[in-house]
Amino acid sequence: MTESTQPDTPDTDVIVVGAGFAGLYMVHSLRTRGFAVEGIEAAGNVGGTWYWNRYPGARCDVDSLDYQYAFSDSLQRGWSWTERYATQPEILRYLEYVADALDLRREFRFSTRVTAANFDADRLLWRVTTDDGTTRTARFCVLAVGCLSVTQVPDFPGLGDFTGAWYHTGNWPHEHVDFHGKRVGIIGTGSSGVQAIPLLAAQAEELWVFQRSPNFSVPARNATLPAEAVDAYKDRFLATRAEAIRSDFGNSTWRSLPSALAAPADERTREYESRWEFGGAGFMVTYSDLMIDKAANDTAADFIRGKIRAIVKDPTTAGLLSPTDHPIGAKRICVDTNYYATFNRPNVHLVDVRSQPIKCITANGVRTEATDYPLDCLVFATGFDAMTGPLTRIDIRGRNGRSLRDLWRDGPACYLGLMIADFPNLFTITGPGSPSVLSNMVISIEQHVDWITDCLQALRTRQARIIEADLDAQTEWMAHVQEAAAQTLFPEGNSWYVGANIPGKPRVFMPYTGGVRAYREKCDAVAASDYEGFRVS
C-alpha cells in the first residue's frame, strides 16, 4: 500500500483498526455490503486480545459454546469447541479459522500500529497514520481496538535494574516460558493472576503472590465437551443466541431467582451451593437483587468467604484472600481452577501488599517495607488501561484539531458507545457507555458491527457524507449511564470499571449497566428514528 497521490479522493471507504473479534467481523460485514475497506493491526496476525494474552492458564470466562459468532450458521457448524471454557490457543485457532474461511487476512496490514487519526474537515475524510510513516485516507474510520488491549505496568522504582526476566500477562512471549526450578513473584490477583497462579505454582520452586487487594472467585468446573453434545448444540445455536440478545448480560442460560432476602436462609444456601458446584460467573445472577441491594449482596459474599475458609487451611491466609472492601461483583468476579487450594501448597506464599507495600524492584527481586524477596522471574498481572486506554493512546483529532485525549481528560464522553461529538465519521466498537465488558463481548460486538454497517448503508443510500453524535444527545446519554450505574453496587468497587487501577485516571463508571436487551432496543429505536441524536448531512 502506498500513500495517496490524490488528497481529494480517499484511498478507501473505511479504515478498520484492529483484527480481533470486532475488526474481523467489521471488515467482513462492510466488504459484503460493497464497501472498500482496509484493516490495520498492530499484531502479526489476527486474534486481538487472544493474540497477546498467552500467559499460563489463559481462558475465556464465558462458555465457549456461546463465545462465537452468530452471523454465519455455516461458520458455527464448521467449528467444534473442545472444552467448556476455551483456552487462549483454542480461541486463537477459532479466529484464525474464521479469517481463513472468509479470506479476511488480505484486507489487513499486520505488524502495523496506528499512531494518529485526524479528521480533515475540508475534504471530509480521515487521515490515519501508522508507525511506518504511512498515511492512508478514508471517509470513515472504525476503531475496533478492544476494551482490554493496553497493558498497565506499575511504575515501580528500580524495575529497570531487575536482572531476572519479567513478563506481563497481557503481552506474553510467543515462545514457551519455563518456570521450573525458579523463584517466581507475581503481582496482581485479578482475573489473569487468578488463572495463572495455579499453573505457575505447579512449576516454580517458590511462588510469591503479591496481593494488592483480594478478589472474589468462583470455580469454573471446566470440562471436556463431548462431541455429540457440541453437535447437538449446533442445531439450536441460533435459537439460543436469539434468547441471549434479549437477556441482560447476553447469556441465554443464566436464570435469576427473585430475591436473596426473600428466600429462607437454608434455601438460599442450597441455591448458592448448587451454583457453586455448577461453576462459572452465573453465580452472580443467582438472585436478581445481588447487584442492587447491599444486604442481598452480603449473603452471596458471606457464602464465598465461607468457601475460602473451608478450602484454605491457614486461617491467616484465608483471611487475607477474603475480600471485605467491596460488594461481590462490583469488581469483575473471577472464574478459576483450584485458585484457593493453590495456597495450601508449601511452595506458595501470599504477601499482603496493603500491610507491607512494595517500595521498589531491586536487581534481585522485590523489596517491600518489611522484607526483601529474592526472585528469578517477575510476572505482572496488573491488568489494563481499560476501555479508554486503547483509544487515547492513539493521537485522535476531530473537528478543529480537537484532541480526544484532552476531551476525555475528565472522563469519557461517547454517545451509545458508538460515536463521539466533534469526531465525525468515527465509530467505536463497544466504546464507553455501552454494555461491552458487562456482557458476552461477542454478542455486543456483533450488535455494534451490524448497527454501524446498517448506518453506513443508510448514509450511502441517501448520499450523505457526514454523521456525527449530537453533543446534547451525548451529554444526556452519559448522564443516563452514570444514573444507571448509581442504581447498582458496581461503583462501590475500586475497579478498572472506573479506572481505579490507573494513576490519575478520572473515576467514572464506563460500561452501561442497563443490560444488553435495553441497550439494543435503544440503538434500534435511534436508527428507526432517522438516527436520532446524530447529525447527518
Side-chain angles (χ1 to χ4, degrees):
M1 297 180 184
T2 59
E3 209 167 318
S4 172
T5 58
Q6 296 180 311
D8 290 317
T9 303
D11 296 311
T12 191
D13 295 328
V14 189
I15 289 176
V16 175
V17 184
F21 269 98
L24 291 178
Y25 182 35
M26 189 78 254
V27 166
H28 170 71
S29 182
L30 290 170
R31 194 175 65 179
T32 300
R33 298 285 188 96
F35 289 94
V37 58
E38 295 180 7
I40 305 174
E41 169 56 52
N45 201 345
V46 301
T49 189
W50 298 109
Y51 176 91
W52 300 106
N53 285 263
R54 298 166 178 259
Y55 60 88
R59 289 181 185 271
C60 186
D61 59 4
V62 175
D63 287 75
S64 57
L65 292 175
D66 292 324
Y67 199 71
Q68 58 181 319
Y69 294 118
F71 68 84
S72 167
D73 190 44
S74 62
L75 269 184
Q76 70 95 12
R77 288 186 180 278
W79 179 263
S80 295
W81 296 101
T82 64
E83 295 183 69
R84 179 182 176 186
Y85 293 104
T87 61
Q88 174 270 333
E90 186 170 24
I91 298 172
L92 183 58
R93 287 196 300 272
Y94 169 72
L95 290 170
E96 291 172 340
Y97 152 75
V98 171
D100 290 338
L102 301 178
D103 191 21
L104 294 175
R105 285 188 180 87
R106 63 186 172 91
E107 311 295 355
F108 282 91
R109 273 190 293 160
F110 293 103
S111 302
T112 306
R113 183 175 297 279
V114 172
T115 57
N118 296 283
F119 181 67
D120 185 333
D122 293 331
R123 296 178 174 86
L124 303 183
L125 51 79
W126 279 92
R127 299 184 178 278
V128 178
T129 302
T130 53
D131 56 1
D132 60 1
T134 301
T135 296
R136 300 289 289 175
T137 59
R139 288 292 176 212
F140 302 94
C141 182
V142 180
L143 299 174
V145 291
C147 295
L148 301 172
S149 58
V150 175
T151 56
Q152 164 66 5
V153 179
D155 188 20
F156 289 123
L159 179 57
D161 299 329
F162 184 57
T163 57
W166 68 267
Y167 312 91
H168 193 290
T169 53
N171 191 10
W172 201 261
H174 286 212
E175 63 273 10
H176 175 67
V177 180
D178 187 0
F179 293 103
H180 282 93
K182 302 288 181 65
R183 298 168 300 177
V184 181
I186 180 169
I187 300 175
T189 53
S191 293
S192 299
V194 163
Q195 289 185 332
I197 284 167
L199 277 78
L200 295 178
Q203 292 188 34
E205 178 180 319
E206 300 289 334
L207 177 66
W208 298 89
V209 178
F210 297 89
Q211 177 182 267
R212 296 172 297 171
S213 57
N215 278 293
F216 290 100
S217 188
V218 294
R221 309 296 185 201
N222 187 47
T224 301
L225 292 173
E228 59 272 17
V230 174
D231 290 341
Y233 189 82
K234 292 177 182 180
D235 291 333
R236 63 179 188 276
F237 173 70
L238 295 182
T240 300
R241 180 56 61 87
E243 291 180 23
I245 64 176
R246 293 192 295 270
S247 69
D248 286 335
F249 298 99
N251 190 302
S252 64
T253 59
W254 289 0
R255 295 288 184 269
S256 297
L257 297 170
S259 170
L261 298 180
D266 58 342
E267 177 184 310
R268 187 173 60 224
T269 299
R270 284 196 300 271
E271 192 62 39
Y272 285 146
E273 193 68 48
S274 174
R275 304 282 178 125
W276 175 271
E277 289 303 319
F278 181 74
F283 181 90
M284 279 311 303
V285 298
T286 303
Y287 294 99
S288 60
D289 54 356
L290 291 188
M291 288 309 299
I292 58 175
D293 188 307
K294 181 60 164 59
N297 188 280
D298 285 343
T299 66
D302 287 343
F303 177 85
I304 298 293
R305 285 190 283 261
K307 286 294 185 181
I308 297 170
R309 289 192 299 270
I311 294 170
V312 180
K313 295 176 181 178
D314 177 60
T316 300
T317 302
L320 291 174
L321 290 169
S322 300
T324 57
D325 63 349
H326 66 276
I328 184 172
K331 294 183 179 182
R332 188 177 182 91
I333 194 169
C334 302
V335 179
D336 75 88
T337 298
N338 299 324
Y339 173 64
Y340 293 119
T342 296
F343 291 90
N344 293 327
R345 296 178 61 110
N347 68 324
V348 177
H349 318 282
L350 182 63
V351 180
D352 178 26
V353 174
R354 285 183 173 176
S355 63
Q356 51 169 311
I358 295 174
K359 289 183 63 177
C360 64
I361 308 297
T362 68
N364 300 312
V366 171
R367 176 174 297 160
T368 70
E369 291 186 352
T371 309
D372 275 5
Y373 296 91
L375 302 171
D376 301 306
C377 303
L378 188 56
V379 175
F380 290 101
T382 47
F384 303 87
D385 184 355
M387 300 193 71
T388 56
L391 301 171
T392 56
R393 81 165 172 180
I394 303 171
D395 183 14
I396 301 173
R397 297 180 182 270
R399 288 192 183 278
N400 303 313
R402 189 172 192 186
S403 165
L404 183 66
R405 292 173 188 159
D406 291 343
L407 176 66
W408 283 7
R409 196 174 301 278
D410 296 323
C414 192
Y415 185 42
L416 300 175
L418 282 163
M419 296 197 82
I420 306 158
D422 282 337
F423 292 78
N425 293 359
L426 179 75
F427 295 90
T428 56
I429 297 181
T430 63
S434 69
S436 59
V437 294
L438 296 182
S439 68
N440 177 346
M441 283 296 296
V442 180
I443 282 181
S444 290
I445 285 168
E446 284 193 311
Q447 186 245 332
H448 268 197
V449 169
D450 291 342
W451 193 96
I452 292 168
T453 304
D454 289 344
C455 176
L456 295 188
Q457 177 66 54
L459 295 177
R460 182 168 60 181
T461 299
R462 64 196 287 183
Q463 297 185 328
R465 301 182 71 189
I466 290 289
I467 183 170
E468 55 187 307
D470 177 78
L471 180 58
D472 290 339
Q474 175 175 281
T475 301
E476 181 179 343
W477 177 253
M478 293 309 294
H480 171 62
V481 170
Q482 296 309 306
E483 290 166 1
Q487 296 173 18
T488 74
L489 300 176
F490 280 109
E492 294 189 23
N494 201 30
S495 70
W496 56 263
Y497 292 149
V498 296
N501 62 321
I502 306 297
K505 190 168 182 175
R507 300 296 187 260
V508 176
F509 196 83
M510 293 180 283
Y512 179 55
T513 62
V516 168
R517 180 182 63 252
Y519 175 79
R520 180 182 290 265
E521 290 172 353
K522 170 67 175 178
C523 290
D524 289 347
V526 163
S529 302
D530 199 24
Y531 294 96
E532 180 182 9
F534 294 93
R535 298 203 303 269
V536 180
S537 60

